[in-house]
Amino acid sequence: MLFWGGSKNFTSFSPKQAISSFELPQGNKVIFTELEVNEKVVPIGKSVNGQIILSHSLIETGNITLSYVNRDFSLSFSDLTYSEDLQKYSYRLLPYQSSWITGNTRGKVSYTSLPSGNYVFEIKPISLSGNEGPVSRLKIRIEPHWSSSIWFRLLILCGVLLFAFYLFKKEKRRRRRWQQHLQLKHELKMSNMEREHEKAIRQERESFFIQTAHELRTPLTLILSPLSELVRQGSGVYSLEDLQKRLSRIQEHALVLQDLTDQLLYMQRIHLGTVKLYLSHLDIVPLIREIAEGFRDLSVINHINFTLVFDKESCFLWFDLDKLRRAVSNLLSNAFKYTSSGGEIHLFLSESIIQGKTCCMIRISDNGVGIPVDILDHIFEPFFIRRLNPTVSTQQGIGLYIVKHTVDIHHGFITVDSKIGEGSCFTVYIPEGKEHFDGDEYETVSGVVKSESKKTDFCRAVEETKSKKSRHSILIIEDNGEVREYIRSLFFRQYTVYEAADGEEGMDMAFKYLPTIIISDIMMPIKNGIGCVSELRREYTTAHIPIIILTAQGEDKDVIEAIQAGADDYLIKPFNPEVLKVKVNSLIMGREKLKRMYTQSLMMKEENDKVENLFIQQVINVIEQNFTNESFDVAMLADCLHISQPTLRRKIKKYSKLSAMELIRSVRISKAAVLIQKECYSIQEICEMVGYNDMKTFRKNFMDQFGVLPSKFDQK
């Protein structure tokens, strides 16, 4: 019970009676009294987390906007009944809450972590009797997080687009750079290939011209050397028959030289495109037969089975007589060049139909050395010369090129089949008729097949002079039979002459006959001259034999290579025969002088007074090969001879009055004496060359053997 006093009366009030009879007035609305954000009251006109939320009283505000950081808020409201027991409300937050929520909220509702968006908060009072009052509404907008804003998304989209554009441009630039790189790499590769190709062509041309120059030296040698003899000795020395034979050979080799120069000029005409056809309508069978017969004597001399098979007795074609003659002769010449003694060469002529055209087929096959697969596709290229060890001494790079060109300008074609060790087969197809020459520049001439074969004397002169020959012998290793025959003609009256046509045969004859001196070419079949010299120097039985290299290769590196291999002298073709004779005689005399000196210094026993004794010669060779070895002694000598020391001493005692160690010292001193007489080296140099490192010991040993000091020996 409440009481209020006044001036005239007092007033009493019973709340229980009032509540029990209280009813909400009609039209009483709920008002929003307070707003809290993050559990803090929002003041009017002040910033909350960087945002001014209320610019007026909340009662006067119909909508509010909250930033994303202010999305946790609470709303206070009242229906002005001032009674908590009677304060019952229904509310909802659209669209977050679609159904009404009824309860005694004590005038406050809170929301947290609402997503961004537009909301409407609705609330209405409810009386005790259940009557609902009018709905009060407050619009609330929660702004999205900056990362969810449309501007940010547009910014992100722009960024993504810019980044994608950047990546696109970067990839485009990368592709362009890669394409440029590939293009530059391709251009560089093509440039290198062109440069390598040009370099290869240049090297091939240089090799070809060097090889051709060497090839020219052979006929020049066989021309100039006999002429030098004729000029020096005069024609009166020779009989008319001998003089005629020598002049015939000079003429023959002059024609060979002319043929080589003609090939060079013809090749130049091919490159310039100035080769002209002179066509004749002739029977090709007599031409092929006549060419083949020119090789008949050569087949007999080389013991080669040369067969001709003609499927047709006549075959008339339009062809250039001289050019086709040269082509067939070249193929036959190659066949004979690459076929060894006892081999077979077959020439077959027949008619064949190729692609509907009737052709004359000329097939030349042999069972010679064959052509390696790796060069089979290049044999018709100009300037191509094999880099492998040659099976013949010289190889020109234009012969087959000219053959291929000749066949091409006749609108034919040529094929080749070959296997190493089994031989080669060249097949030429020349079409019949004349229509295929339409559009070509040619001249029709009348031709007659007539023999132009050169009568060549293949028979060796075997006449031996009855004058007494010396006991010396010469081995000539030369693949060119004519050069070999000429060198033989220089020495056969004075020496016993052995001949070998290739390096392998030369080695066999050197071991068999042990000649006094060897004259060898460098470029030879099977084994070249350098290989022969090296092997002869390694063998004790042949290490002492003087060797003269006689070759067309005259460059310094060739001379150095030959001397390092063990050659005693080097002579370049074309050579002066008198120079060769002087060198041969000088080397033989020097070797004889050395033998006499060895015989004297080694105190050979009378019954065995022959330096030719194989064992003593082997001992001397081993000692000479070890001159520069200062520590060379009896034990090492026995090891090199593959015998024991007692056996060595016993054998030396059998042939010489010296002991083994004295024999080694005597050979050194004898060699020093020979070097002193040559007057090419100083005494100090000779001392070192024969294996002495002490000049005092060298002088003492020299004095003991010759009774004079080394410096006075040349005056003795």
Side-chain angles (χ1 to χ4, degrees):
M1 181 69 74
L2 298 176
F3 297 95
W4 287 271
S7 60
K8 294 182 179 182
N9 55 19
F10 71 91
T11 304
S12 64
F13 174 73
S14 177
K16 293 182 179 180
Q17 295 177 359
I19 291 172
S20 60
S21 61
F22 183 78
E23 186 71 27
L24 286 173
Q26 293 291 329
N28 187 35
K29 294 181 62 176
V30 177
I31 61 174
F32 300 99
T33 59
E34 191 177 62
L35 174 65
E36 294 181 10
V37 172
N38 297 328
E39 299 181 352
K40 293 181 180 180
V41 178
V42 177
I44 298 173
K46 292 187 177 180
S47 175
V48 178
N49 293 328
Q51 178 189 19
I52 298 177
I53 299 175
L54 296 176
S55 59
H56 304 286
S57 172
L58 187 58
I59 298 174
E60 300 175 355
T61 301
N63 55 73
I64 58 174
T65 300
L66 300 175
S67 64
Y68 193 78
V69 296
N70 294 329
R71 59 181 178 160
D72 297 340
F73 64 94
S74 299
L75 284 173
S76 297
F77 44 84
S78 174
D79 59 357
L80 302 180
T81 60
Y82 303 104
S83 174
E84 292 182 359
D85 294 336
L86 296 177
Q87 288 179 341
K88 193 173 183 180
Y89 306 95
S90 287
Y91 65 90
R92 63 183 178 182
L93 182 63
L94 296 175
Y96 183 70
Q97 297 168 328
S98 59
S99 301
W100 290 94
I101 300 173
T102 302
N104 188 355
T105 62
R106 296 186 180 275
K108 188 176 182 180
V109 176
S110 298
Y111 292 96
T112 59
S113 301
L114 289 175
S116 60
N118 295 318
Y119 300 92
V120 177
F121 181 75
E122 295 181 340
I123 188 170
K124 58 185 176 179
I126 300 176
S127 65
L128 292 176
S129 61
N131 295 326
E132 297 179 353
V135 177
S136 298
R137 295 179 174 85
L138 177 64
K139 294 181 179 179
I140 302 171
R141 182 176 181 274
I142 298 178
E143 294 180 341
H145 188 263
W146 60 270
S147 62
S148 300
S149 64
I150 185 65
W151 297 109
F152 178 77
R153 292 181 178 178
L154 288 174
L155 181 63
I156 292 297
L157 179 61
C158 291
V160 170
L161 292 176
L162 288 174
F163 184 69
F165 180 73
Y166 167 75
L167 292 179
F168 172 75
K169 295 294 289 184
K170 183 179 180 181
E171 179 67 16
K172 189 175 180 180
R173 286 195 300 269
R174 189 190 68 82
R175 287 180 177 273
R176 186 165 57 249
R177 286 197 301 270
W178 178 248
Q179 290 177 353
Q180 291 175 351
H181 173 72
L182 291 179
Q183 184 177 359
L184 290 175
K185 187 176 180 180
H186 176 71
E187 292 177 355
L188 180 61
K189 183 178 180 180
M190 294 301 296
S191 177
N192 290 334
M193 289 177 62
E194 291 178 1
R195 186 163 57 251
E196 290 296 327
H197 182 64
E198 292 175 356
K199 182 179 178 181
I201 292 178
R202 185 171 62 253
Q203 290 177 346
E204 292 290 352
R205 287 182 176 177
E206 291 174 357
S207 300
F208 164 74
F209 284 114
I210 292 173
Q211 192 75 17
T212 303
H214 293 163
E215 184 73 9
L216 293 175
R217 288 179 181 269
T218 298
L220 281 174
T221 298
L222 297 171
I223 294 172
L224 295 178
S225 297
L227 283 177
S228 300
E229 281 192 292
L230 289 174
V231 171
R232 184 180 61 85
Q233 298 181 3
S235 60
V237 179
Y238 303 98
S239 64
L240 182 61
E241 182 181 356
D242 193 14
L243 180 62
Q244 181 66 31
K245 184 171 66 174
R246 289 176 180 270
L247 292 176
S248 297
R249 288 183 178 178
I250 292 174
Q251 181 186 26
E252 176 186 339
H253 297 301
L255 292 174
V256 173
L257 185 62
Q258 182 184 14
D259 185 64
L260 288 174
T261 55
D262 288 344
Q263 288 190 41
L264 292 174
L265 293 174
Y266 186 80
M267 187 184 63
Q268 182 67 17
R269 290 168 57 197
I270 291 175
H271 286 298
L272 295 176
T274 58
V275 177
K276 187 176 180 180
L277 280 172
Y278 296 91
L279 298 180
S280 303
H281 191 242
L282 299 171
D283 184 3
I284 196 173
V285 173
L287 173 65
I288 302 300
R289 192 184 301 276
E290 175 260 315
I291 296 173
E293 289 301 321
F295 290 87
R296 184 65 66 185
D297 292 337
L298 184 59
S299 67
V300 174
I301 294 298
N302 292 339
H303 305 289
I304 294 175
N305 181 21
F306 183 32
T307 60
L308 307 179
V309 178
F310 296 93
D311 195 37
K312 295 186 64 177
E313 294 186 0
S314 64
C315 182
F316 284 88
L317 300 174
W318 285 93
F319 60 91
D320 189 310
L321 179 61
D322 292 334
K323 293 180 178 59
L324 197 60
R325 182 197 300 274
R326 183 190 298 270
V328 177
S329 297
N330 195 300
L331 292 176
L332 279 174
S333 176
N334 285 340
F336 277 93
K337 184 185 297 184
Y338 289 92
T339 303
S340 58
S341 179
E344 296 181 354
I345 297 176
H346 304 285
L347 191 153
F348 178 70
L349 186 146
S350 68
E351 189 176 85
S352 178
I353 298 178
I354 305 296
Q355 297 179 352
K357 292 184 178 180
T358 303
C359 299
C360 176
M361 182 187 73
I362 306 169
R363 176 173 296 158
I364 299 173
S365 61
D366 62 72
N367 61 349
V369 297
I371 304 172
V373 178
D374 56 335
I375 69 168
L376 198 58
D377 295 334
H378 304 283
I379 59 173
F380 295 114
E381 296 177 4
F383 312 116
F384 184 79
I385 300 176
R386 288 177 58 181
R387 297 183 179 86
L388 304 176
N389 290 332
T391 54
V392 293
S393 61
T394 56
Q395 295 175 336
Q396 301 178 50
I398 57 176
L400 290 177
Y401 172 65
I402 293 176
V403 171
K404 179 71 164 57
H405 178 266
T406 300
V407 176
D408 288 342
I409 62 176
H410 282 82
H411 297 274
F413 62 95
I414 182 172
T415 62
V416 56
D417 295 314
S418 183
K419 289 184 180 180
I420 292 293
E422 296 183 11
S424 304
C425 178
F426 288 83
T427 307
V428 176
Y429 296 90
I430 304 295
E432 296 182 358
K434 192 179 181 183
E435 61 277 0
H436 47 272
F437 291 107
D438 294 344
D440 294 346
E441 183 179 353
Y442 64 88
E443 183 177 336
T444 303
V445 296
S446 60
V448 178
V449 178
K450 58 182 180 179
S451 175
E452 294 182 2
S453 60
K454 301 165 187 175
K455 188 66 176 178
T456 305
D457 181 16
F458 289 101
C459 300
R460 282 188 45 188
V462 295
E463 179 185 358
E464 299 285 349
T465 178
K466 294 184 180 179
S467 62
K468 184 178 178 181
K469 293 186 181 180
S470 69
R471 59 190 176 89
H472 298 298
S473 60
I474 296 178
L475 172 59
I476 303 171
I477 309 176
E478 168 66 58
D479 65 314
N480 189 295
E482 294 165 339
V483 175
R484 191 170 66 246
E485 170 64 25
Y486 176 69
I487 298 175
R488 176 187 173 278
S489 68
L490 298 177
F491 298 103
F492 80 96
R493 291 183 175 86
Q494 186 177 0
Y495 303 106
T496 301
V497 180
Y498 303 107
E499 300 178 46
D502 57 67
E504 185 173 326
E505 182 184 359
M507 294 295 299
D508 294 339
M509 297 186 72
F511 292 129
K512 180 179 180 180
Y513 297 110
L514 295 177
T516 308
I517 191 170
I518 296 174
I519 301 174
S520 175
D521 191 10
I522 288 184
M523 297 183 65
M524 293 184 297
I526 306 175
K527 183 186 289 291
N528 61 25
I530 300 300
C532 291
V533 173
S534 301
E535 189 169 343
L536 289 170
R537 287 292 179 252
R538 285 196 299 266
E539 297 295 331
Y540 297 139
T541 57
T542 57
H544 66 285
I545 301 175
I547 302 175
I548 297 177
I549 293 295
L550 184 63
T551 181
Q553 293 182 320
E555 299 182 11
D556 291 341
K557 64 180 183 65
D558 301 315
V559 179
I560 293 173
E561 185 181 10
I563 299 300
Q564 288 178 342
D568 294 271
D569 213 330
Y570 197 99
L571 204 56
I572 300 173
K573 298 176 183 178
F575 60 89
N576 189 318
E578 288 304 311
V579 174
L580 179 60
K581 288 181 179 179
V582 169
K583 288 182 179 290
V584 169
N585 294 331
S586 176
L587 285 173
I588 292 177
M589 290 176 61
R591 181 58 60 176
E592 282 294 311
K593 188 175 183 179
L594 184 59
K595 286 181 180 179
R596 288 193 299 271
M597 190 171 294
Y598 281 160
T599 302
Q600 179 183 0
S601 62
L602 299 182
M603 302 177 66
M604 304 297 294
K605 296 182 178 180
E606 292 182 4
E607 62 270 19
N608 296 299
D609 192 9
K610 293 183 179 180
V611 181
E612 287 84 355
N613 179 277
L614 181 59
F615 174 72
I616 290 297
Q617 187 63 62
Q618 288 179 344
V619 171
I620 294 174
N621 291 342
V622 172
I623 297 173
E624 288 180 341
Q625 291 176 3
N626 291 274
F627 271 156
T628 57
N629 186 356
E630 300 171 359
S631 60
F632 187 75
D633 55 12
V634 178
M636 297 178 66
L637 176 59
D639 290 339
C640 292
L641 294 172
H642 306 293
I643 58 176
S644 64
Q645 293 187 44
T647 303
L648 174 64
R649 291 189 176 95
R650 186 175 64 254
K651 284 194 171 186
I652 290 178
K653 186 177 180 180
K654 178 181 178 181
Y655 298 113
S656 175
K657 298 177 182 180
L658 300 177
S659 66
M661 196 64 210
E662 289 172 342
L663 188 143
I664 294 175
R665 183 168 57 248
S666 180
V667 172
R668 290 182 186 272
I669 296 300
S670 298
K671 181 65 176 179
V674 173
L675 293 175
I676 290 173
Q677 289 183 332
K678 286 186 176 181
E679 298 182 353
C680 296
Y681 308 98
S682 66
I683 302 298
Q684 179 64 40
E685 290 174 329
I686 294 173
C687 175
E688 296 174 355
M689 290 169 66
V690 296
Y692 283 88
N693 56 2
D694 181 16
M695 178 62 74
K696 183 178 179 181
T697 304
F698 173 69
R699 288 197 183 99
K700 180 181 180 302
N701 292 339
F702 198 94
M703 186 73 177
D704 292 342
Q705 182 165 329
F706 293 106
V708 66
L709 290 173
S711 58
K712 303 296 184 180
F713 182 76
D714 58 343
Q715 302 173 8
K716 185 178 178 181

